């Protein structure tokens, strides 16, 4: 077998290489369900033959009038664009884009020219520049200043380290450079005569890295499983890792989400033998070898032989105050330890705070947090992400669903154990295993939520890492699902804090040109003009349009012929229409989306391009944020 470089594998592929899943048992049952799938799909699809759409009749009167007015003037303010296979960004006629910031651009004057003077920048300046591989982001207004907080999910060692090392760190300084290029950037931005730019040396500019001091709060804080030699209290940690999606609280703080944290750890000796720790390592994919970062050989914190509890201190939602550069970020253990994609925050009718979260791994779960206390603007918010109840979703085939509380009574685990081993708690209550639940987004004009289920080649074939079955059905209706879908649910009583909901599928991605007449053609709102796969990032704008970003196959061949490069599309929740708005450069993922305060600029992230974007031939490919505006300066979101 040909050996694949660890850093070239996806996170899921790395997990399954090191922790292989057995073939699903009771396969006859899976096949039987698959045979009856055609009739079942007719009921779950929101837009298609025999399906009842969640349409305007279900809106409140104000929202219905707004949707009706939007339909009369045209729901989409742009002409859809075709696919692209080249190395740049394309947007519709009547729109322009510019690069706001790229990996290596200075946040502080001391770093000006460093990226060009030293290949991929120096270790000394690596925490003073815009980090690599941009992901989730949010826009804030701080007094008279405008601020973007943005994640940096991972880094490319082969690019950042000397070529002779082939991506393998040879010193603690090499590791520190990689650690500094990841995490979070908080930066002031402004719009001037030449467009948008970063305000270099702003007092609000900040880099948060794998070594930034953090507070740990919630039920797991202080627990023996979080205690280390460096932090015997179990309440102070260093750094936030693999920062994927994001969230924004009503009180103006940024939520960054730790996703594939397991790949940063390794062992210089034996793995821990403690049964509870070993079981958790297996479920979360922590082994003797990391992804190739080799942190554990140069930084003892990531060596589980020396620090077996350190992996228990990552995998959380982290809160950052963009208005307080000196404030320590806070890890909120009450929201669970999973491979967090994003954290979508909404306030329930009674004032309680609800946070939706997906665990981005094949066959894992969809979660919801409901606070005990209510949000009062200008009031105390300290308990809202610490005191409350964590739930996990169960989807029923009759298009109903319920949120199952994860409590000591339902799981047999104490509150700290639930927070640290959240996946095991979800398994105990028989929640629904999902096709990699990624971004969750809520609609601002109606009480509904969406989740991108990006893909799952193991659906109906293999269990998840905990041995939970992944049967075909419910919101995951296709075996060996390579295309992905978006599930939508409406909480009972229009109350996001409610425990019951109804659901359908807003869209099933697919390829009707290759798989006509089968479930792999996709739903009825997929056609030759809007083909895409692997929906990932997602947000709804102020009018209720759903913006869908992709991170999928872009070879434009076979099953994916006609899909082109990764892209961003806009969808109408009422009609089901989906139009392509943006295409990215070859090899990239389109991820991260936010709007300026006046809604006249849209900021979009371009991660890991293979093409020499944005600087052209002969230059390094650099992840970037682009700013998009209408040429008439009208509203864009």
């Amino acid at each position: 077998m040909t050996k694949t470089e660890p850093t070239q594998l996806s996170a899921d592929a790395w997990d399954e290489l090191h922790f292989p899943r057995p073939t699903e048992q009771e396969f006859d049952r899976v096949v039987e369900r698959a045979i009856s799938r055609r009739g079942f799909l007719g009921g779950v699809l929101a837009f298609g033959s025999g399906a009842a759409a969640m349409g305007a009749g279900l809106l409140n009167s104000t929202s219905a009038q707004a949707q009706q007015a939007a339909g009369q003037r045209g729901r989409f303010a742009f002409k859809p664009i075709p696919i692209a296979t080249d190395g740049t960004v394309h947007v519709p006629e009547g729109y322009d884009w510019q690069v706001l910031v790229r990996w290596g651009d200075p946040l502080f004057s001391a770093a000006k020219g460093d990226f060009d003077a030293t290949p991929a920048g120096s270790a000394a300046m690596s925490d003073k520049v815009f980090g690599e591989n941009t992901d989730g982001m949010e826009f804030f207004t701080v007094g008279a200043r405008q601020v973007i907080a943005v994640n940096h999910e991972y880094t490319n060692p082969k690019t950042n380290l000397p070529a002779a090392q082939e991506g393998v760190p040879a010193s603690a300084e090499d590791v520190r450079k990689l650690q500094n290029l990841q995490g979070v950037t908080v930066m002031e931005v402004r719009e001037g005569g030449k467009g948008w730019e970063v305000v270099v040396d702003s007092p609000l500019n900040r880099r948060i890295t794998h070594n930034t001091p953090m507070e740990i709060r919630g039920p797991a804080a202080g627990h023996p499983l979080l205690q280390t030699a460096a932090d015997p209290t179990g309440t102070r940690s260093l750094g936030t890792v693999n920062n994927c999606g994001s969230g924004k609280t009503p009180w103006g703080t940024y939520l960054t989400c730790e996703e594939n944290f397991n790949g940063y750890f390794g062992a210089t000796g034996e793995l821990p033998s403690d049964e509870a720790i070993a079981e958790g390592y297996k479920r979360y994919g922590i082994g003797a070898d990391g992804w190739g970062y080799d942190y554990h050989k140069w930084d003892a914190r990531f060596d589980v032989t020396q620090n077996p509890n350190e992996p228990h201190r990552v995998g959380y939602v982290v809160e950052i105050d963009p208005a307080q550069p000196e404030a320590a970020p806070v890890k909120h253990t009450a929201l669970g330890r999973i491979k967090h994609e994003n954290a979508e925050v909404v306030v329930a009718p009674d004032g309680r705070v609800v946070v939706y979260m997906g665990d981005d791994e094949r066959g894992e779960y969809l979660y919801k947090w409901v606070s005990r206390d209510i949000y009062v603007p200008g009031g105390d918010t300290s308990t809202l992400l610490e005191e409350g109840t964590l739930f996990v979703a169960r989807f029923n085939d009759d298009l109903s669903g319920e949120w199952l509380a994860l409590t000591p009574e339902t799981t047999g685990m104490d509150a700290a154990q639930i927070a640290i081993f959240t996946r095991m708690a979800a398994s105990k209550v028989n929640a629904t295993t999902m096709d990699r639940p990624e971004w969750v987004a809520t609609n601002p004009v109606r009480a509904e939520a969406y989740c991108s289920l990006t893909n799952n080649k193991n659906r109906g074939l293999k269990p998840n890492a905990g041995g939970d079955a992944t049967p075909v059905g419910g919101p995951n209706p296709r075996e060996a699902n390579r295309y992905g879908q978006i599930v939508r649910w409406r909480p009972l009583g229009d109350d996001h804090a409610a425990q019951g909901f109804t659901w359908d599928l807003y869209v099933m991605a697919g390829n009707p040109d290759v798989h006509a007449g089968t479930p792999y053609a996709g739903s009825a709102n997929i056609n030759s003009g809007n083909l895409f796969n692997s929906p990932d990032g997602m947000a709804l704008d102020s009018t209720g349009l759903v913006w869908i970003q992709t991170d999928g196959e872009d070879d434009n061949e076979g099953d994916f012929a006609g899909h082109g490069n990764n892209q961003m599309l806009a969808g109408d929740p009422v009609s089901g229409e989906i139009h392509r708005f943006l295409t990215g450069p070859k090899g990239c993922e389109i991820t991260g989306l936010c709007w300026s305060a006046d809604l006249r600029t849209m900021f979009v992230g371009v991660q890991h391009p293979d093409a020499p974007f944005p600087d052209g031939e002969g230059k390094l490919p650099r992840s970037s944020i682009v700013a998009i505006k209408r040429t008439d300066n009208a509203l864009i979101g």
Side-chain angles (χ1 to χ4, degrees):
M1 183 176 71
T2 302
K3 183 178 180 182
T4 304
E5 290 292 333
T7 54
Q8 296 175 347
L9 295 172
S10 70
D12 276 335
W14 188 92
D15 287 342
E16 292 183 13
L17 178 66
H18 291 81
F19 300 90
R21 279 58 158 163
T23 301
E24 174 69 86
Q25 302 300 309
E26 301 180 43
F27 190 66
D28 288 344
R29 175 181 56 80
V30 174
V31 172
E32 183 177 351
R33 280 188 82 160
I35 290 172
S36 63
R37 190 163 55 218
R38 184 182 299 273
F40 174 74
L41 286 175
V44 304
L45 291 172
F47 305 102
S49 176
M54 297 167 78
L58 296 175
L59 296 169
N60 63 46
S61 58
T62 302
S63 298
Q65 291 169 4
Q67 296 281 14
Q68 183 178 14
Q72 290 171 352
R73 65 176 182 267
R75 194 70 176 95
F76 300 93
F78 63 91
K79 181 180 178 180
I81 65 173
I83 65 167
T85 58
D86 60 4
T88 190
V89 166
H90 298 275
V91 294
E93 181 180 355
Y95 293 79
D96 286 330
W97 66 272
Q98 66 164 122
V99 175
L100 167 67
V101 64
R102 57 177 69 74
W103 157 47
D105 282 351
L107 300 175
F108 302 95
S109 294
K112 285 185 176 179
D114 180 72
F115 191 89
D116 295 325
T118 307
S122 68
M125 293 292 110
S126 56
D127 62 350
K128 296 176 177 60
V129 299
F130 187 74
E132 194 176 7
N133 289 316
T134 176
D135 209 311
M137 57 181 157
E138 305 290 345
F139 192 96
F140 298 87
T141 299
V142 179
R145 302 177 187 268
Q146 301 174 92
V147 174
I148 290 177
V150 55
N151 294 339
H152 304 288
E153 185 177 15
Y154 70 99
T155 192
N156 298 295
K158 284 190 174 182
T159 303
N160 283 288
L161 301 179
Q165 296 176 208
E166 297 185 342
V168 179
S171 66
E173 182 181 61
D174 285 347
V175 166
R176 182 57 64 97
K177 179 181 180 181
L178 300 180
Q179 292 173 335
N180 284 348
L181 289 171
Q182 301 171 73
V184 176
T185 289
V186 180
M187 59 188 180
E188 183 181 352
V189 296
R190 66 186 172 202
E191 187 177 21
K194 295 183 179 180
W196 286 90
E197 63 180 2
V198 174
V199 180
V200 175
D201 293 325
S202 166
L204 296 179
N205 289 357
R206 181 183 188 188
R207 282 299 319 283
I208 296 163
T209 73
H210 289 186
N211 293 287
T212 301
M214 309 260 160
E215 294 182 20
I216 301 174
R217 296 182 188 170
H223 191 277
L225 285 172
L226 267 67
Q227 295 171 4
T228 65
D231 173 33
T233 70
T235 61
R236 306 284 297 182
S237 69
L238 291 178
T240 178
V241 304
N242 206 252
N243 303 86
C244 190
S246 59
K248 182 177 182 180
T249 67
W251 51 95
T253 57
Y254 181 69
L255 301 180
T256 182
C257 299
E258 298 180 321
E259 191 189 21
N260 295 299
F261 59 85
N262 56 309
Y264 294 90
F265 295 93
T268 56
E270 296 294 322
L271 291 171
S273 58
D274 178 272
E275 184 176 350
I277 293 177
E279 182 183 0
Y281 275 26
K282 181 179 179 182
R283 185 63 189 270
Y284 287 89
I286 298 160
D289 298 309
W291 288 337
Y293 284 135
D294 279 356
Y295 280 12
H296 62 289
K297 296 178 182 178
W298 302 99
D299 185 340
R301 181 158 53 104
F302 295 89
D303 178 5
V304 298
T305 300
Q306 300 183 63
N307 289 291
N309 282 344
E310 192 65 36
H312 302 147
R313 294 152 62 88
V314 289
Y316 300 105
V317 174
V318 182
E319 185 177 17
I320 298 166
D321 188 344
Q324 301 292 332
E326 303 303 320
V330 177
K331 294 196 172 190
H332 287 291
T333 65
L335 275 61
R337 177 172 167 263
I338 57 176
K339 292 183 178 180
H340 283 279
E341 183 69 17
N342 80 315
E344 176 73 351
V345 184
V346 63
V347 178
D350 66 359
R352 286 182 292 169
V353 172
V354 177
V355 186
Y356 288 113
M357 301 164 287
D359 186 354
D360 183 11
E361 188 172 310
R362 296 177 185 124
E364 289 299 338
Y365 300 104
L366 178 66
Y367 297 87
K368 178 176 79 170
W369 164 263
V370 180
S371 68
R372 180 194 65 189
D373 300 327
I374 66 171
Y375 167 64
V376 178
D380 179 22
T381 61
S382 62
T383 67
L384 297 180
L385 300 180
E386 296 181 26
E387 299 291 344
T389 304
L390 187 63
F391 297 84
V392 64
R394 178 187 290 160
F395 291 80
N396 303 316
D397 284 356
D398 65 359
L399 306 187
S400 69
E402 56 264 350
W403 292 99
L404 309 171
L406 298 179
T407 66
E409 293 74 22
T410 63
T411 65
M413 304 164 69
D414 64 34
Q417 291 172 326
I418 292 168
I420 300 167
F421 299 122
T422 310
R423 286 182 168 180
M424 285 88 111
S427 294
K428 287 178 179 291
V429 299
N430 297 314
T432 300
T433 57
M434 307 293 281
D435 285 349
R436 287 186 59 195
E438 299 223 43
W439 284 72
V440 180
T442 54
N443 194 333
V445 301
R446 60 198 300 187
E448 64 181 17
Y450 298 71
C451 180
S452 293
L453 304 177
T454 195
N455 57 54
N456 184 0
K457 69 177 185 179
N458 293 341
R459 172 60 59 181
L461 303 177
K462 294 181 180 180
N464 69 8
D468 303 325
T470 62
V472 175
N476 312 283
R478 293 178 292 186
E479 183 181 291
N481 173 22
R482 298 186 68 193
Y483 290 114
Q485 64 269 4
I486 296 176
V487 65
R488 171 173 59 177
W489 63 94
R490 174 170 289 107
L492 296 184
D494 290 345
D495 180 1
H496 283 288
Q499 289 185 242
F501 59 89
T502 58
W503 67 272
D504 64 10
L505 292 180
Y506 172 67
V507 63
M508 287 202 315
N511 197 328
D513 297 338
V514 175
H515 295 293
T518 78
Y520 301 95
S523 48
N525 49 349
I526 293 296
N527 56 65
S528 298
N530 66 3
L531 298 178
F532 68 92
N533 71 88
S534 300
D536 189 338
M538 187 166 50
L540 280 88
D541 66 22
S542 64
T543 72
L545 275 184
V546 56
W547 294 85
I548 304 164
Q549 300 175 317
T550 70
D551 177 24
E553 294 289 343
D554 65 354
D555 58 14
N556 204 36
E557 299 176 352
D559 287 343
F560 304 100
H563 285 225
N565 294 350
N566 279 297
Q567 56 192 280
M568 184 169 75
L569 310 97
D572 182 354
V574 176
S575 71
E577 290 179 274
I578 297 175
H579 292 177
R580 186 181 297 112
F581 176 82
L582 174 149
T583 57
K586 188 68 176 178
C588 83
E589 169 189 352
I590 299 298
T591 181
L593 173 63
C594 62
W595 287 267
S596 59
D598 64 5
L599 302 180
R600 298 181 190 278
T601 304
M602 170 189 285
F603 300 96
V604 178
V606 178
Q607 189 189 96
H608 62 70
D610 287 340
F613 177 85
D615 299 324
E617 291 300 323
K619 301 293 186 179
L620 280 175
R622 298 167 72 176
S623 55
S624 306
I625 296 176
V626 298
I628 301 169
K629 293 179 68 72
R630 287 178 51 151
T631 55
D632 62 2
N633 201 35
L635 300 180
I636 195 172

